[in-house]
Amino acid sequence: MALMQTLVAPEWVDYNGHMNDAEYARVFSLAVEALMDHIGLDAAGREHHGYTIYTLETHLCYRREAHEGQPLDIEFHLIDSDAKRLHVLFEMRDAEGQVLATSEQMLMGIDVASGRPAPFPADIAGAVGELPPATADIIESAGRRIGIRR
């Protein structure tokens, strides 16, 4: 699912002449916000429900460099979900559709008043249920671990 578009800002470019690694994380954080907006947890939805989403874990993989002014398309894939969690994968693509980076994340629904995990409010759960499921190849690529192959 196409989720958002942005451009590589000049301040995101480092001394190597390409987008700094921390800025990839910034773009994927903005993608979480776009996802929240999509399922009804924009500012008004968060206020109405007293509910938000936290990122519990993320695994970011860098595939290609991104450069100043370059358009970035972020695609969303729902790997799994339950009553209060979303296991997702975001892909950052260039204008030609090449994957520049991926971010696999575990997101948790949080009741703002208690600061504790809580099930999605009914209308948010309904919107989550309407998200398109990831394809088998995306699911298979999830769960990577870091290690030196021997």
Side-chain angles (χ1 to χ4, degrees):
M1 176 178 92
L3 188 61
M4 64 171 271
Q5 295 180 319
T6 191
L7 298 174
V8 177
E11 61 272 17
W12 296 355
V13 176
D14 66 15
Y15 48 84
N16 291 314
H18 57 257
M19 194 161 91
N20 181 274
D21 58 342
E23 302 305 335
Y24 286 80
R26 174 194 305 269
V27 172
F28 288 125
S29 181
L30 294 172
V32 171
E33 290 181 16
L35 173 63
M36 290 173 65
D37 290 351
H38 181 80
I39 63 171
L41 286 175
D42 56 3
R46 291 189 306 272
E47 177 71 24
H48 171 76
H49 292 292
Y51 194 87
T52 192
I53 288 180
Y54 287 1
T55 302
L56 297 180
E57 185 174 344
T58 187
H59 188 144
L60 206 155
C61 294
Y62 306 94
R63 304 290 170 91
R64 290 186 162 76
E65 296 177 0
H67 299 92
E68 183 176 340
Q70 183 174 359
L72 304 173
D73 295 316
I74 309 303
E75 293 184 8
F76 165 81
H77 304 276
L78 178 64
I79 295 171
D80 198 5
S81 66
D82 65 15
K84 57 188 171 186
R85 292 177 296 187
L86 301 172
H87 181 187
V88 303
L89 182 92
F90 297 103
E91 290 182 310
M92 179 186 297
R93 294 182 176 269
D94 64 15
E96 290 76 41
Q98 294 184 90
V99 176
L100 303 175
T102 61
S103 180
E104 182 179 353
Q105 299 188 24
M106 184 64 70
L107 307 173
M108 174 71 78
I110 301 290
D111 176 271
V112 174
S114 70
R116 303 285 303 150
F120 296 115
D123 58 332
I124 304 305
V128 167
E130 293 176 12
L131 292 170
T135 57
D137 60 319
I138 294 294
I139 293 169
E140 201 169 286
S141 73
R144 288 181 47 145
R145 59 172 243 206
I146 296 174
I148 298 172
R149 295 183 191 143
R150 299 206 191 278

